[in-house]
Amino acid sequence: MDELDSYSRTVSAVAAELTGRVAAIRTGRGSGSAVLVDADGVLVTNAHVVGDAQRGRADFVDGTQTDVTVVGTDPLSDLAVLRAVKPGDLPPPVQLGDADQLVVGQLVVAVGNPLGLAGSVTAGVVSALGRALPTRSGSAGRVVEDVIQTDAALNPGNSGGALADSHARVVGINTAVAGVGLGLAVPVNATTRQIVATLLADGRVRRAYLGVVGAPAPVPASVAERYSRRSGLRLVEVIGGSPAAHAGLRAGDLVLDVGRRPVQDAQGIQRQLFGDAIGVPLPVTVLRNGAMVDVVAVPTELR
């Protein structure tokens, strides 16, 4: 009973901390939730909640209402940034955490504000990490890496709401239902923060394009011992005519470093492929047939 009481107290404390800071959002024909992340009235939600809208309204559970403008959307990460017209009337912002510190089995709480009602709170655990979420913008496709899977139920209207840890730190933005009893959340981490900062500054996210598809793979024992590396990214496809193909990368290569930085998964490459990488030589080190191979790719702009 004590353990159950402790669980309930934790969930109740997170709900009390966050419910008032997650707004119901109405933009055009879309609706969902949004998380207040800054005292200047900045809110983060899903790009699919906003759609093509330029403005909308945010409703908080204490009755506070404010018009919002859409600062920018990034469909390829399913994130959007809004700004309140009257930020002085809003509650204090949430505290952001770091999804990279999550572990499977950890308690998480999903908080939303569907349809402007009294708020929606569900609890569960992180059931998987490292999931991938396919996204698309026009003809461009991308995979959001390291998506959080949870068994905390995501109710209708919870898209764009908060996924928080037991300390009420927001570690994810709820984005989709993956199946019965399973939900997905875009992680709040260094990459997400960069996307939000870029949307605030420029209204859009320019991305560099390399043209590879890969999956995490172990490094052979002899190489792992010599270079203190345990895993890399095995290329399963190199797109014909892409910068990667022109650089000489091949399917089967095990990518160890990109831009002189260790790579263990696709996010290790994607976090380097923002606007400032377009047209700039990018060194790539791969293990090919037991030998280290260095190539230089020049990313183009993703259209």
Side-chain angles (χ1 to χ4, degrees), residues 115-132:
L115 304 178
L117 301 177
S120 170
V121 178
T122 56
V125 298
V126 175
S127 54
L129 292 167
R131 289 288 305 273

mmCIF file of all heavy atoms in Angstrom, residues 115-132:
data_model
loop_
_atom_site.group_PDB
_atom_site.id
_atom_site.type_symbol
_atom_site.label_atom_id
_atom_site.label_comp_id
_atom_site.label_asym_id
_atom_site.label_seq_id
_atom_site.Cartn_x
_atom_site.Cartn_y
_atom_site.Cartn_z
ATOM 1 N N LEU A 115 -9.283 19.939 -25.855
ATOM 2 C CA LEU A 115 -10.545 20.660 -25.984
ATOM 3 C C LEU A 115 -10.775 21.675 -24.874
ATOM 4 O O LEU A 115 -11.899 22.069 -24.599
ATOM 5 C CB LEU A 115 -11.727 19.666 -26.027
ATOM 6 C CG LEU A 115 -11.642 18.602 -27.121
ATOM 7 C CD1 LEU A 115 -12.825 17.657 -27.031
ATOM 8 C CD2 LEU A 115 -11.558 19.244 -28.498
ATOM 9 N N GLY A 116 -9.686 22.071 -24.191
ATOM 10 C CA GLY A 116 -9.810 23.091 -23.173
ATOM 11 C C GLY A 116 -10.542 22.639 -21.929
ATOM 12 O O GLY A 116 -11.045 23.465 -21.162
ATOM 13 N N LEU A 117 -10.602 21.357 -21.689
ATOM 14 C CA LEU A 117 -11.268 20.845 -20.504
ATOM 15 C C LEU A 117 -10.331 20.937 -19.306
ATOM 16 O O LEU A 117 -9.360 21.678 -19.328
ATOM 17 C CB LEU A 117 -11.738 19.410 -20.761
ATOM 18 C CG LEU A 117 -12.708 19.264 -21.937
ATOM 19 C CD1 LEU A 117 -13.068 17.803 -22.154
ATOM 20 C CD2 LEU A 117 -13.970 20.080 -21.693
ATOM 21 N N ALA A 118 -10.585 20.173 -18.278
ATOM 22 C CA ALA A 118 -9.836 20.325 -17.035
ATOM 23 C C ALA A 118 -8.446 19.710 -17.089
ATOM 24 O O ALA A 118 -7.767 19.634 -16.092
ATOM 25 C CB ALA A 118 -10.627 19.706 -15.888
ATOM 26 N N GLY A 119 -8.031 19.263 -18.238
ATOM 27 C CA GLY A 119 -6.709 18.650 -18.357
ATOM 28 C C GLY A 119 -6.806 17.143 -18.350
ATOM 29 O O GLY A 119 -7.763 16.558 -17.832
ATOM 30 N N SER A 120 -5.813 16.508 -18.938
ATOM 31 C CA SER A 120 -5.784 15.052 -19.042
ATOM 32 C C SER A 120 -4.433 14.561 -18.547
ATOM 33 O O SER A 120 -3.388 15.024 -19.015
ATOM 34 C CB SER A 120 -6.003 14.633 -20.497
ATOM 35 O OG SER A 120 -5.751 13.253 -20.669
ATOM 36 N N VAL A 121 -4.446 13.639 -17.606
ATOM 37 C CA VAL A 121 -3.214 13.117 -17.019
ATOM 38 C C VAL A 121 -3.257 11.597 -17.036
ATOM 39 O O VAL A 121 -4.222 10.988 -16.553
ATOM 40 C CB VAL A 121 -3.026 13.605 -15.563
ATOM 41 C CG1 VAL A 121 -1.764 12.995 -14.964
ATOM 42 C CG2 VAL A 121 -2.973 15.119 -15.511
ATOM 43 N N THR A 122 -2.245 10.979 -17.621
ATOM 44 C CA THR A 122 -2.094 9.529 -17.579
ATOM 45 C C THR A 122 -0.657 9.218 -17.198
ATOM 46 O O THR A 122 0.243 10.036 -17.414
ATOM 47 C CB THR A 122 -2.416 8.874 -18.933
ATOM 48 O OG1 THR A 122 -1.590 9.461 -19.952
ATOM 49 C CG2 THR A 122 -3.872 9.072 -19.312
ATOM 50 N N ALA A 123 -0.445 8.057 -16.632
ATOM 51 C CA ALA A 123 0.894 7.678 -16.189
ATOM 52 C C ALA A 123 1.238 6.292 -16.693
ATOM 53 O O ALA A 123 0.359 5.473 -16.965
ATOM 54 C CB ALA A 123 0.983 7.714 -14.661
ATOM 55 N N GLY A 124 2.518 6.036 -16.818
ATOM 56 C CA GLY A 124 3.004 4.734 -17.256
ATOM 57 C C GLY A 124 4.509 4.706 -17.154
ATOM 58 O O GLY A 124 5.098 5.427 -16.340
ATOM 59 N N VAL A 125 5.117 3.905 -17.991
ATOM 60 C CA VAL A 125 6.574 3.798 -17.983
ATOM 61 C C VAL A 125 7.093 3.988 -19.403
ATOM 62 O O VAL A 125 6.343 3.883 -20.381
ATOM 63 C CB VAL A 125 7.059 2.438 -17.439
ATOM 64 C CG1 VAL A 125 6.617 2.242 -16.001
ATOM 65 C CG2 VAL A 125 6.570 1.292 -18.333
ATOM 66 N N VAL A 126 8.378 4.283 -19.505
ATOM 67 C CA VAL A 126 9.053 4.266 -20.795
ATOM 68 C C VAL A 126 9.157 2.803 -21.209
ATOM 69 O O VAL A 126 9.852 2.022 -20.560
ATOM 70 C CB VAL A 126 10.448 4.901 -20.705
ATOM 71 C CG1 VAL A 126 11.180 4.767 -22.038
ATOM 72 C CG2 VAL A 126 10.341 6.362 -20.301
ATOM 73 N N SER A 127 8.451 2.417 -22.254
ATOM 74 C CA SER A 127 8.442 1.011 -22.656
ATOM 75 C C SER A 127 9.506 0.696 -23.695
ATOM 76 O O SER A 127 9.868 -0.470 -23.877
ATOM 77 C CB SER A 127 7.056 0.610 -23.176
ATOM 78 O OG SER A 127 6.627 1.466 -24.212
ATOM 79 N N ALA A 128 10.006 1.712 -24.381
ATOM 80 C CA ALA A 128 11.093 1.504 -25.340
ATOM 81 C C ALA A 128 11.719 2.852 -25.657
ATOM 82 O O ALA A 128 11.070 3.900 -25.586
ATOM 83 C CB ALA A 128 10.589 0.841 -26.624
ATOM 84 N N LEU A 129 12.994 2.812 -26.000
ATOM 85 C CA LEU A 129 13.722 3.990 -26.440
ATOM 86 C C LEU A 129 14.340 3.710 -27.801
ATOM 87 O O LEU A 129 14.491 2.559 -28.189
ATOM 88 C CB LEU A 129 14.818 4.370 -25.439
ATOM 89 C CG LEU A 129 14.333 4.884 -24.082
ATOM 90 C CD1 LEU A 129 15.479 4.917 -23.090
ATOM 91 C CD2 LEU A 129 13.705 6.265 -24.221
ATOM 92 N N GLY A 130 14.694 4.777 -28.509
ATOM 93 C CA GLY A 130 15.335 4.575 -29.804
ATOM 94 C C GLY A 130 14.378 4.232 -30.915
ATOM 95 O O GLY A 130 14.797 3.809 -31.993
ATOM 96 N N ARG A 131 13.067 4.403 -30.683
ATOM 97 C CA ARG A 131 12.105 4.181 -31.757
ATOM 98 C C ARG A 131 12.279 5.244 -32.831
ATOM 99 O O ARG A 131 12.815 6.321 -32.589
ATOM 100 C CB ARG A 131 10.675 4.225 -31.209
ATOM 101 C CG ARG A 131 10.291 3.036 -30.346
ATOM 102 C CD ARG A 131 10.120 1.771 -31.174
ATOM 103 N NE ARG A 131 9.163 1.966 -32.260
ATOM 104 C CZ ARG A 131 7.850 1.791 -32.135
ATOM 105 N NH1 ARG A 131 7.332 1.425 -30.981
ATOM 106 N NH2 ARG A 131 7.056 1.980 -33.164
ATOM 107 N N ALA A 132 11.810 4.959 -34.025
ATOM 108 C CA ALA A 132 11.901 5.891 -35.135
ATOM 109 C C ALA A 132 10.493 6.260 -35.601
ATOM 110 O O ALA A 132 9.603 5.411 -35.639
ATOM 111 C CB ALA A 132 12.695 5.295 -36.291
#
